[in-house]
Structures are given as structure tokens and as C-alpha cells.
Amino acid sequence: MRSLLTAVVVTLFLAFILPGTILAQTGILEGTWELVSMKVNSPDGTVTERILAEPDDKGGSIKILNATHFALITINKDGDFSHAHAGVYTVDGNTYSEKLSSSSLHEVIGWDNATEFTLQGDIWKFKYNSTNKNIIEETWRRVKVE
């Protein structure tokens, strides 16, 4: 009887609690995010920082994530279209990975990137190596639904 009870408890854990934990992990980033700032460290040592929400800055980036996919659109400072990407993503612990399946920049289609991230409340930060060897640090803020 005791081993039957143990088997039932283990089965319930594996069937309900563990998948819920995994789904909760992948869902922590679901929603709409706006880029707050970025810092680009070029291989030649040049550092460029940009704080979005500067006066007269019509540009920015929005990233939307559902349970499995993301889409991103970026607008230049003058308000013109810059680029857009979309693809699949995963979250494993504090590692965020994405693979671009479509992009207005054809040379990055298929790019697979994994990076460690931090999430503190509605602020999401990560750093990654871009396809052109820049090291990019980004800070995103979750968009509140009003």
C-alpha cells in the first residue's frame, strides 16, 4: 500500500506539478517589451550607448513574446523603419535563447543565440555577441496593459 501511495504521489508530481513549473519558467517573459537602453561594444573598442525616451527620439524597439515565439520591430530615431525579426525562443534557468526564422535583414536568418539574462520585476537585461562581433547589452521594460 505504501509503495502504491508513493507511486501515485510521484506520478502526480511528474504529471501536474513538474510540467507546470516548466511552463511557468518558459512563460516568465511572455508579453510585450520596450527597449529602454542599449550599449554596443565594438571590436575596435568603440562604445555607443543609447537611452530610448530621449527628447525628439521617435525610435525604439518593441519585442512581443508568446509561449514559444517572438517578434521584434525597430524604428530609427527619425521614425523610419529599421528592421524586424521573428523566430522561436526558449528559457532554461537564466538562459534566454532565440533563433531567427525571419528577418528584414536576410543575412541574420537562422542566427541562433543564447545569453544569460536577469529579470527583476518588469526589467529584463541581457548581453550577447551579435553577428558582426559587437557585444550588445540591452535593457527592456515590460509594457503595462492599461
Side-chain angles (χ1 to χ4, degrees):
M1 181 69 175
R2 187 174 195 174
S3 57
L4 177 62
L5 180 60
T6 302
V8 169
V9 169
V10 169
T11 301
L12 288 173
F13 177 78
L14 293 174
F16 295 105
I17 297 170
L18 187 59
T21 303
I22 292 168
L23 287 175
Q25 178 65 27
T26 58
I28 64 172
L29 295 176
E30 280 187 61
T32 303
W33 298 85
E34 61 185 340
L35 186 62
V36 175
S37 66
M38 70 183 303
K39 181 177 178 181
V40 179
N41 299 286
S42 300
D44 68 2
T46 305
V47 176
T48 306
E49 292 189 66
R50 181 166 176 216
I51 307 295
L52 289 328
E54 293 172 338
D56 300 323
D57 188 345
K58 298 177 182 78
S61 294
I62 295 290
K63 186 178 262 196
I64 301 170
L65 293 91
N66 68 18
T68 57
H69 289 75
F70 74 94
L72 173 137
I73 186 166
T74 298
I75 303 299
N76 290 325
K77 286 183 175 190
D78 62 6
D80 289 338
F81 173 80
S82 174
H83 62 273
H85 305 303
V88 295
Y89 81 96
T90 59
V91 175
D92 184 12
N94 68 334
T95 300
Y96 172 78
S97 302
E98 61 183 34
K99 183 170 185 173
L100 300 180
S101 57
S102 60
S103 176
S104 60
L105 306 172
H106 301 286
E107 65 274 11
V108 299
I109 294 174
W111 184 52
D112 199 352
N113 186 41
T115 184
E116 290 186 4
F117 72 93
T118 60
L119 181 63
Q120 295 178 323
D122 289 332
I123 301 297
W124 174 29
K125 295 181 179 186
F126 55 87
K127 178 170 41 173
Y128 62 94
N129 294 319
S130 69
T131 56
N132 60 2
K133 310 296 184 218
N134 290 331
I135 298 172
I136 300 176
E137 299 175 47
E138 296 180 349
T139 300
W140 295 81
R141 178 177 42 235
R142 190 183 303 269
V143 175
K144 302 266 189 210
V145 178
E146 295 181 24

